[in-house]
Amino acid sequence: MTEVTKTELTEDGKVIRKVRSFVRREGRLTKGQEQALSESWPTMGIDFEATELDWQQVFGNDNPVVLEIGFGMGASLVEMAKNAPEKNFVGIEVHTPGVGACLMAAREAGVTNLRVMCHDAVEVFEQMLPKESLDTVQLFFPDPWHKKRHHKRRIVQLPFAEMVRDKLKVGGVFHMATDWENYAEHMIEVMEAAPHYQNMAQDGLYVPRPDDRPLTKFEQRGQRLGHGVWDIKYTRTA
């Protein structure tokens, strides 16, 4: 998952830098992934178009909507959807093999409350998501851009936090997780500066890993090596 910035000009010629969530990467599909994309996309895929979605039409119900940005290969997202049939889940990922793998896993698990998109998340937020329609936004283990000179490329910046808040319901939750302590500190700094958010931690700045966020193989390996993981939750207050 690669986050980038794109350069735009204002009317008076000043340069502004706008964060995009990811560069789309095609990658090589396995036969299973290709088959899953072909067979499951008509029922579980959402094509990008500059038209606002209606969640009632998408899912056929009014259940709470949980949206994850950058779900990788989709294993944890499918597990969450399977464990919470009373919620609707949407995943956005630009890595096509990841989308295929997610659809494969969803089909094998018999999951019906999941939809996926293969597009830049920022453009999806800007053009397709209704205001105040999401109960939860999830961003787990985004590219940390650990070198200081690359910190500006991190997806969690003030405009991004404000964009997420605009789509969350009042009382909705923005849940982030990272295994880079410096990025966790950066996330806290950004979220504390963003208006109408409140940290949900009861003790300190971070929350314990919630039971509904599955422990990934990557995370289990990190734990064995003594690496930390920081979960951060903020709720929209107004």
Side-chain angles (χ1 to χ4, degrees):
M1 294 184 294
T2 305
E3 293 139 23
V4 300
T5 56
K6 60 180 180 180
T7 300
E8 295 182 352
L9 297 178
T10 61
E11 290 181 359
D12 58 359
K14 292 182 179 178
V15 175
I16 56 174
R17 296 173 66 83
K18 180 180 179 182
V19 174
R20 294 189 65 188
S21 60
F22 304 102
V23 173
R24 182 164 179 165
R25 295 181 293 122
E26 293 296 338
R28 180 171 292 180
L29 294 165
T30 67
K31 288 184 178 179
Q33 291 166 357
E34 192 171 357
Q35 184 179 5
L37 279 166
S38 174
E39 295 178 359
S40 297
W41 187 265
T43 54
M44 298 183 67
I46 300 176
D47 292 309
F48 177 81
E49 53 183 327
T51 303
E52 194 171 273
L53 291 167
D54 181 328
W55 296 127
Q56 167 69 43
Q57 290 184 350
V58 171
F59 289 100
N61 59 57
D62 290 318
N63 292 343
V65 178
V66 179
L67 184 145
E68 181 165 341
I69 299 170
F71 57 76
M73 301 303 278
S76 63
L77 180 59
V78 169
E79 186 174 342
M80 282 185 281
K82 183 179 180 180
N83 293 339
E86 74 283 0
K87 296 180 181 179
N88 296 323
F89 289 81
V90 181
I92 305 175
E93 173 59 58
V94 293
H95 191 217
T96 309
V99 176
C102 182
L103 291 173
M104 280 179 63
R107 185 170 57 182
E108 290 171 5
V111 166
T112 59
N113 58 330
L114 173 63
R115 302 291 183 270
V116 297
M117 298 191 70
C118 192
H119 197 78
D120 172 64
V122 171
E123 291 184 356
V124 172
F125 267 73
E126 290 176 343
Q127 301 187 50
M128 296 190 70
L129 302 188
K131 292 178 181 293
E132 299 187 12
S133 69
L134 302 176
D135 286 77
T136 304
V137 173
Q138 301 176 165
L139 179 68
F140 299 151
F141 307 103
D143 193 323
W145 291 103
H146 57 276
K147 293 182 180 179
K148 191 170 183 179
R149 68 178 183 273
H150 291 156
H151 285 185
K152 62 182 178 293
R153 300 184 184 180
R154 290 173 169 176
I155 189 172
V156 180
Q157 308 287 353
L158 187 57
F160 181 79
E162 293 176 339
M163 182 188 73
V164 168
R165 187 193 67 239
D166 187 52
K167 308 305 180 181
L168 282 172
K169 296 177 180 178
V170 174
V173 176
F174 184 18
H175 180 191
M176 295 163 278
T178 179
D179 60 333
W180 284 81
E181 186 173 14
N182 176 265
Y183 200 176
E185 293 167 349
H186 170 89
M187 289 172 170
I188 293 289
E189 183 179 342
V190 168
M191 296 305 296
E192 287 298 311
H196 307 303
Y197 274 116
Q198 182 175 337
N199 195 324
M200 298 177 67
Q202 300 296 311
D203 182 20
L205 298 173
Y206 307 104
V207 298
R209 182 183 66 84
D211 291 337
D212 60 2
R213 182 174 74 74
L215 195 64
T216 65
K217 292 179 180 178
F218 164 80
E219 200 172 344
Q220 290 172 334
R221 178 178 176 274
Q223 286 184 346
R224 290 195 299 270
L225 296 172
H227 298 169
V229 171
W230 291 265
D231 278 86
I232 298 167
K233 280 189 173 186
Y234 275 78
T235 184
R236 177 180 174 175
T237 59

